[in-house]
Amino acid sequence: MSRSPSRRSVLATTAAAATAAAVGPLATATAAHAAPTLPDGTSKDKVLVVGMDGLRHDVIAAAKAPHLKSLMANGTYGTSLLYADPMAATSSGPGWSTISTGVWPDKHGVKENSFTGKNYGKYPGFLARLAQVRPQLSTYAAVDWKPLDAQGTVTPGADAKLVLDGDADGYTGHDASIAAETESILQNQNPDVLFVYFGQTDIAGHNSGAASAAYRAAIDVQDGYLGRLLTAIKARPAYATERWTVIVTTDHGHTDSGGHGGSAIEERRTFVLAQGPGIAAGARPADTRLVDVAATVYRQLGIVPDPAWGLDGKPIQERSTDPFEALYPALAGRTDETGIPAGILGWTRTSPSGWSVVNSAMGTGGVAEWRGWSFATDEFWSRSQRDQSRELNVRSRGIFAVADSDEWDDKASSGPYDSTLVTPAYAVGGTSTVTLGFTTHYRQEGSQSARVLASWNGGTPVEVKRYTSDVISQPQALALDVPAGAANVSFRFHYTGSNNWYWVIDGVKVTAV
């Protein structure tokens, strides 16, 4: 959880050693107090969110983890990558803020574990939001990393909460207490929405590394807690008439040797795993992001988010529909990019149906993957070079279009980088306004240029937007008046550079009214 694990790990390890012998890894009791009495629930739609700190998803396969694996088989399991500095560190403060609020750090304001700049007033956690819009719901939160309560990240809005101090006392015993109290509430009361947090996976990662047997054992212990909660849900007298959704997620990954906070792929790994009504069994979407937890909670409760909430997430069962998502069968492994492991399929120059790339003014040579506009995944592109803000492309999903003169020039080339991405023609006859919507991630340098042009009825393209400064992963909406007599319009994204930076385009949508 902490970017600097020394003090926290020592405290947690010392306390955990004393506690483990007393409670055992699957203790069934022992919160130091009786479970609180919650208001009686009012909804047949119910949601349990389980947070497992620092759980690197690619290690689950090597653990026993029968309950996590069952959820994967019977639910939807989307993996993705986090941001890195300067947007935010891959640490717990930003990670849990992103999960709880459903927005990225450039909105919720938490960049590291001091929580300086937090903006929960504008972007509250989902329990706080539910207390505003559906106050009749019965809600509960349990955490043993105290900042999640003290900083207002998770617990505000909960009708009852359990807050323990894993840093001071050890996470082994407190995780067991959280499991026991939550199990009791599920068995004996009628909650609607619960958020429970387990922290020992992160401590095991810091102390032993994500490649260790101790880390896998910590996953198995928490998997056992998850299993007890699932059993308690299924044993509820009213279970047959209830509609339960279970979501499991994490805030960041870990390096093999232990630790996080930086920009390595292993530190950036996250996942959202969900099972419930309307959520497909066995699905492995490539367009899921960590901000999708809160949006999924709202969807499963039948709540339509107000656009004023500014959510960045979408429900896990909702797929991206931009044309680049059709390119997965065309994705290839590395050609010239030596820093990307072989076997990672993540780029293509094949355009979607109706699209094209014009490279007639493009120079020769250069890195093959980036010769003109290409289509790539986050893992492939951000691996091409760390710490140049490629990790900040958070609002792109799945496959996106990228023009990268910086990476192209890493191999001998001659001439300019000059490439144009061309959309299909969209019908606009009988309409007065057409809006081009897309997400962009752009870094400006030197004489580099990035222009959007419109071509009406196949005529000469006219510039409608020029970028002259950085735009870090933001939605765009260009509204244009439709000229008299125009039947269709196509758009061009024209990028030039000379070993400068890059331009990313995703989520292209054209609407005419």
Side-chain angles (χ1 to χ4, degrees):
M1 297 138 199
S2 171
R3 188 169 185 178
S4 175
S6 55
R7 177 177 179 273
R8 178 176 188 169
S9 299
V10 170
L11 288 170
T13 303
T14 302
T19 310
V23 302
L26 291 176
T28 56
T30 72
H33 60 282
T37 301
L38 275 68
D40 191 42
T42 60
S43 177
K44 292 297 184 181
D45 296 305
K46 297 180 184 293
V47 181
L48 168 65
V49 178
V50 179
M52 298 187 178
D53 203 296
L55 177 51
R56 211 175 90 187
H57 63 75
D58 59 327
V59 182
I60 295 173
K64 297 175 183 176
H67 305 293
L68 284 167
K69 291 175 181 178
S70 176
L71 283 180
M72 291 176 190
N74 295 291
T76 294
Y77 175 49
T79 64
S80 62
L81 297 174
L82 283 177
Y83 40 73
D85 284 328
M87 180 174 284
T90 50
S91 54
S92 286
W96 292 113
S97 297
T98 299
I99 290 165
S100 184
T101 63
V103 301
W104 292 112
D106 56 0
K107 288 183 180 179
H108 64 62
V110 180
K111 299 183 67 173
E112 30 72 38
N113 284 355
S114 74
F115 290 82
T116 301
K118 64 184 180 184
N119 192 15
Y120 300 147
K122 185 172 182 180
Y123 301 105
F126 64 79
L127 290 178
R129 185 74 78 182
L130 292 176
Q132 295 172 358
V133 302
R134 193 75 67 81
Q136 66 272 30
L137 292 174
S138 176
T139 60
Y140 171 77
V143 302
D144 51 5
W145 189 44
K146 286 189 72 175
L148 297 181
D149 174 64
Q151 297 291 342
T153 309
V154 166
T155 58
D159 292 311
K161 63 184 180 181
L162 173 62
V163 180
L164 303 171
D165 192 345
D167 282 350
D169 308 324
Y171 285 84
T172 304
H174 283 335
D175 282 358
S177 294
I178 287 173
E181 179 162 300
T182 307
E183 182 181 41
S184 173
I185 288 171
L186 288 168
Q187 288 174 336
N188 301 311
Q189 300 190 51
N190 187 26
D192 294 319
V193 183
L194 308 90
F195 180 100
V196 298
Y197 165 97
F198 300 118
Q200 184 59 29
T201 33
D202 187 66
I203 298 303
H206 281 301
N207 291 347
S208 303
S212 69
Y215 186 71
R216 295 191 295 275
I219 293 174
D220 287 336
V221 169
Q222 290 180 183
D223 182 82
Y225 296 151
L226 173 63
R228 287 168 54 191
L229 302 184
L230 295 174
T231 298
I233 288 172
K234 293 175 182 177
R236 290 171 55 79
Y239 176 70
T241 63
E242 294 172 341
R243 296 175 292 274
W244 276 93
T245 297
V246 177
I247 302 171
V248 184
T249 190
T250 194
D251 56 334
H252 55 71
H254 261 284
T255 62
D256 283 349
S257 59
H260 56 86
S263 61
I265 288 290
E266 291 73 23
E267 298 168 275
R268 296 173 58 210
R269 292 204 185 283
T270 58
F271 69 92
V272 182
L273 169 61
Q275 179 181 340
I279 298 175
R284 299 288 186 271
D287 61 344
T288 298
R289 288 287 204 172
L290 196 60
V291 288
D292 295 345
V293 173
T296 303
V297 171
Y298 299 137
R299 166 68 69 85
Q300 298 306 97
L301 294 171
I303 295 170
V304 178
D306 187 328
W309 297 358
L311 293 184
D312 289 320
K314 63 178 180 60
I316 193 171
Q317 62 265 55
E318 183 179 299
R319 299 278 64 80
S320 299
T321 57
D322 76 72
F324 307 147
E325 298 305 288
L327 297 178
Y328 285 100
L331 293 180
R334 71 186 189 196
T335 298
D336 291 335
E337 280 285 5
T338 58
I340 299 173
I344 293 180
L345 306 181
W347 79 283
T348 182
R349 279 200 298 271
T350 300
S351 300
S353 177
W355 291 65
S356 61
V357 174
V358 178
N359 283 338
S360 56
M362 186 78 189
T364 61
V367 174
E369 288 89 334
W370 316 118
R371 189 174 187 275
W373 281 96
S374 298
F375 306 91
T377 65
D378 187 22
E379 178 153 356
F380 192 92
W381 184 57
S382 64
R383 276 184 182 270
S384 67
Q385 182 61 56
R386 283 170 57 180
D387 300 320
Q388 293 182 341
S389 294
R390 289 176 181 82
E391 299 89 353
L392 276 52
N393 186 35
V394 293
R395 290 184 176 87
S396 289
R397 291 176 179 264
I399 298 173
F400 48 83
V402 57
D404 191 334
S405 68
D406 176 64
E407 280 301 296
W408 174 70
D409 202 53
D410 281 356
K411 186 177 179 181
S413 62
S414 64
Y417 188 107
D418 189 324
S419 185
T420 303
L421 175 66
V422 184
T423 75
Y426 301 93
V428 296
T431 66
S432 59
T433 304
V434 61
T435 300
L436 171 64
F438 58 98
T439 296
T440 199
H441 181 51
Y442 177 70
R443 289 196 68 190
Q444 173 68 36
E445 183 187 66
S447 59
Q448 171 181 297
S449 69
R451 302 185 301 146
V452 183
L453 304 101
S455 171
W456 306 97
N457 293 340
T460 301
V462 177
E463 181 179 309
V464 295
K465 175 72 175 180
R466 178 185 292 258
Y467 292 95
T468 57
S469 59
D470 290 0
V471 179
I472 304 300
S473 195
Q474 294 295 323
Q476 310 286 287
L478 306 182
L480 307 175
D481 293 332
V482 176
N488 61 70
V489 61
S490 64
F491 295 96
R492 297 179 175 230
F493 301 91
H494 180 219
Y495 172 85
T496 68
S498 179
N499 193 23
N500 298 121
W501 285 123
Y502 46 74
W503 191 13
V504 172
I505 298 295
D506 196 29
V508 176
K509 183 178 181 180
V510 176
T511 55
V513 293

